[in-house]
Amino acid sequence: MSARGAERQALVIVLTGQGKGKTTAALGVVLRAWGRGMKTVVLQFVKPRTANYGENRAAKKLGIEMIPLGEGFTWRSQDIEKDKAAVRQCWELARQKIDSGQYDIVVLDEMTYPITYGWIPVEEVIDTLRRRPQGLHVIITGRDAPPELIEFADLVTEMREVKHPYEKGLKAQPGIDF
Amino acid sequence: MSARGAERQALVIVLTGQGKGKTTAALGVVLRAWGRGMKTVVLQFVKPRTANYGENRAAKKLGIEMIPLGEGFTWRSQDIEKDKAAVRQCWELARQKIDSGQYDIVVLDEMTYPITYGWIPVEEVIDTLRRRPQGLHVIITGRDAPPELIEFADLVTEMREVKHPYEKGLKAQPGIDF
């Protein structure tokens, strides 16, 4: 925790909407915070555990904790109960990180999806956020953020898709999209 | 330029809208790209030349070119002609960076403002983008992106303000907002 923790007004930030830039904006905060010597952890709820995208490579080089948690629960599998259990484990890890008091910022990337699926109860999320250590910023990204979370958050931006390159048949680009 | 330049489909990306997260998302791309060893330059059209925000500190530590160009043209001054001349100079620098062929990504942060003011002709911007080196991604941020730019771009996201912390009287926070 930075020494300025006590003076800070900690924010709960939700980045949602169908457009691109939600995770990317969270990564921008990670960069800014790193520049200020703040401690961040990024929990990626959907990225496969083998993820070695641009952000994972950068985080590794910078000593930022970035933990891809997915694959176990891509909700493509046939075994829903197993997926649910895996998500619960990820959420327990997220809670530990939040409660630990060791971070300035916790990013819960793409966590709206398991909330929407009902696999993580939104009340439990809000309760954890409400009782979080003083000074801790939390950023949650993903489409379709639930109304209760929007109500509780301090800052909510909806990324609205005006024009999407995939419409033109352009593929996701390294360094830009991942 | 990375060796993969030729295979890439270079994008023109516009991040606009009244909500927060435009510059921040551009910074997220900078982080990803840095993680992949790509070369980026960020020209900040509005940030004062003395800027030492989280992103400037991070860029310095990472060896990323980030050039705050503002102050000379905050359009708060009484001498509009001087401001316009300063903006023109900044735009010339931006063009040099784009034309140089030395970058994978050029970020023109908050450049929509001088375009909206009519100080940088949008036709000139689009002409420069159209003739840019192959493989170069360009990201332009700022509110009220002009329709011509949206039309030309490959990817446009509008950051829509759902809830803003300043409404609650919460101030901009270091590491999050700057």
Side-chain angles (χ1 to χ4, degrees), chain A residues 9 20 24-25 28 32 36 55 150-151 153-154 156-158 160 162-163 168 171 173 176 178, chain B residues 9 20 24-25 28 32 36 55 62 150-151 153-154 156-158 160 162-163 168 171 173 176 178:
Chain A
Q9 295 163 301
K20 291 174 76 67
T24 317
R32 279 194 174 123
R36 291 186 178 274
E55 60 264 40
I150 290 176
E151 173 62 28
D154 301 297
V156 181
T157 297
E158 179 198 343
R160 199 172 73 81
V162 177
K163 200 183 225 181
K168 287 193 186 180
K171 289 180 195 159
Q173 296 295 309
I176 300 286
F178 59 92
Chain B
Q9 295 164 301
K20 292 174 76 68
T24 316
R32 277 192 175 124
R36 289 186 178 274
E55 60 263 41
L62 302 181
I150 289 176
E151 173 62 28
D154 301 296
V156 181
T157 298
E158 178 199 344
R160 201 173 71 81
V162 177
K163 201 182 223 181
K168 288 195 186 179
K171 291 179 193 160
Q173 296 295 310
I176 300 287
F178 59 90

Side-chain angles (χ1 to χ4, degrees), chain A residues 11-14 98 105-106 108 129 132 136-140:
Chain A
L11 302 178
V12 171
I13 298 173
V14 173
I98 290 170
I105 301 174
V106 174
L108 305 172
L129 294 174
R132 75 193 189 278
L136 175 66
H137 302 291
V138 178
I139 304 176
I140 300 175

Side-chain angles (χ1 to χ4, degrees), chain B residues 130-143:
Chain B
R130 185 174 284 123
R131 298 188 295 116
R132 75 192 188 280
Q134 205 188 347
L136 175 66
H137 301 291
V138 177
I139 304 175
I140 301 176
T141 77
R143 295 180 181 204

